[in-house]
Amino acid sequence: ANLYPEPASPYPHDFSVDGAVQLYLDAGISPRKLTIGLPFYGRGWQQVTDGGAHGVWQAANGAAPGQFAEEAGTRGYNNLVTSVPGLTVYHDDQSVATYGYTGNGGQWWSFDDSWSIAKKAAYIKSKHLLGAMIWEMSGDTPSGTLMNALSTGLTP
């Protein structure tokens, strides 16, 4: 869900929202035909080593326990932030990415929160894109934390 490439990525061709948008814009696609997808869920791994980086780009041992038995490594945002004990949320200002980590040997999760959604909404406006789509609304908090961040961010 990172907006920009992660400078510390060990992969030569790291993906990002901005990279995908730029490919379309460079190909002549109108920005008014482009939307950004925002996950209202997280993806997680377990038994993640700290590596002095809060688990970022570190070894893991499979998917973290999911919200539903048939979806290992996937949790709705609300379930993730309320049901994963010891989860500390971090924000990467360079890549504009949110992640959570429970500590050495624990779980590491990648997801969007109100901070990253606000940054992505500003990006959508700055690039004059059509807007955003989300998956999946049931992952939001009962008070609509993520939807409110998106609505506020996209309001002129």
Side-chain angles (χ1 to χ4, degrees), residues 32-140:
R32 298 300 297 159
K33 293 187 183 256
L34 300 176
T35 61
I36 300 295
L38 303 173
F40 279 18
Y41 63 90
R43 289 286 197 176
W45 292 264
Q46 64 183 337
Q47 298 174 5
V48 179
T49 58
D50 184 84
H54 306 297
V56 176
W57 302 115
Q58 302 303 305
N61 188 19
Q67 182 174 353
F68 306 104
E70 66 276 5
E71 294 184 47
T74 304
R75 287 179 181 268
Y77 172 77
N78 185 59
N79 179 272
L80 174 61
V81 297
T82 60
S83 300
V84 176
L87 186 73
T88 300
V89 176
Y90 298 93
H91 296 116
D92 182 327
D93 289 317
Q94 288 185 302
S95 64
V96 183
T98 300
Y99 64 95
Y101 187 51
T102 62
N104 191 39
Q107 297 178 28
W108 190 95
W109 290 86
S110 174
F111 55 95
D112 270 337
D113 65 359
S114 57
W115 175 85
S116 58
I117 288 174
K119 300 276 189 185
K120 290 175 181 180
Y123 174 87
I124 289 166
K125 288 168 63 173
S126 76
K127 294 285 187 178
H128 307 288
L129 304 180
L130 182 61
M133 60 79 62
I134 56 145
W135 184 263
E136 125 98 55
M137 281 186 73
S138 68
D140 203 353

